[in-house]
Amino acid sequence: MLPPVQGAAPSALEALALLAPEALVAAAIPAVLLLDMVVPKRHAALLHWFAALACVLAAAVAGQAPFGAVFDLVRVDATARLARVVVLGAGAAGLVVLPVQPLRSAAAVVAVLGTVLGALMAAVAHHLLVLWLGLELVALAGYGLVALLGADRRGAEAGLKFALFGGFASALVLFGSSHLYGLSGAFDFTAIGNALARLPATGLAALVLVGCGLAYKLALVPLHLYAPDVYQGTKAAGLLVVGVVPKLGVLAALVHGPVSYTHL
């Protein structure tokens, strides 16, 4: 575990070096939209390869990224580094096998990149709000991707079920986070762990709420009921993205959290 960050705040260049993979994926999203305006629809596959190349480049950068933290918001350690590389690799693979749909390729590629970016944010999160924003980005992009790839009533149904269950899970995470903040007065994982050591019973209830929201992302029993319909309603490429990428980010977040609760 990295020690708590003390002393001077990181410079802009240091923060950019830590978050370079996320910055590359984020920059690729508007780049894909701009390319879609100039690339003929018959060459829509170029959007897929461009986005996949961006993910591969980001994975190479992530593998060499330094360890460190940006304030109490994000923290890059060995777990985050591994999760980043695997998430970006899965995202690149999903983009390569993603069906080329001339009128929908840009939207589908952006949805995949959004899912990857959200999982990256969750993987490096050391703050409840950063974790929640990452999970929401994963969810919103995943809803659109499932519906786009379905292209029939079953796909639309899968996207709707994904959205409804996802909204419930997000509410659980927010509700639990509000309780954790009320108990600890902080959002970063280390401060929450220190505070909950003095309030184990009430803190456990708040952690259970947050854990239920994370269990939805992992499709753990009993929050797995949506998974068969959603996975059946989308194509293999969509299943690779929505069924694998978010889980990698959540697993990294689950490792970060308990490791930071040093006093529990």
Side-chain angles (χ1 to χ4, degrees), residues 84-222:
R84 281 166 141 186
V85 172
V86 178
V87 164
L88 288 163
L95 287 163
V96 170
V97 301
L98 192 69
V100 177
Q101 300 171 305
L103 298 180
R104 297 184 176 186
S105 282
V109 169
V110 167
V112 173
L113 290 175
T115 303
V116 170
L117 180 58
L120 292 175
M121 291 177 61
V124 300
H126 190 67
H127 192 280
L128 280 174
L129 291 183
V130 176
L131 175 61
W132 182 79
L133 287 173
L135 295 178
E136 282 302 288
L137 184 54
V138 165
L140 293 174
Y143 305 155
L145 181 63
V146 169
L148 281 170
L149 294 182
D152 55 17
R153 291 184 60 184
R154 189 169 60 179
E157 179 185 357
L160 180 59
K161 288 183 177 180
F162 204 12
L164 291 176
F165 279 92
F168 176 71
S170 296
L172 288 177
V173 173
L174 278 180
F175 193 48
S177 298
S178 66
H179 280 282
L180 288 175
Y181 179 75
L183 292 170
S184 65
F187 283 113
D188 65 282
F189 295 161
T190 301
I192 290 173
N194 294 337
L196 292 183
R198 300 185 294 271
L199 297 168
T202 51
L204 180 60
L207 287 175
V208 167
L209 289 173
V210 175
C212 286
L214 299 181
Y216 164 83
K217 299 298 181 184
L218 294 172
L220 298 180
V221 177

Side-chain angles (χ1 to χ4, degrees), residues 217-230:
K217 299 298 181 184
L218 294 172
L220 298 180
V221 177
L223 298 174
H224 69 297
L225 299 179
Y226 73 95
D229 290 336
V230 172

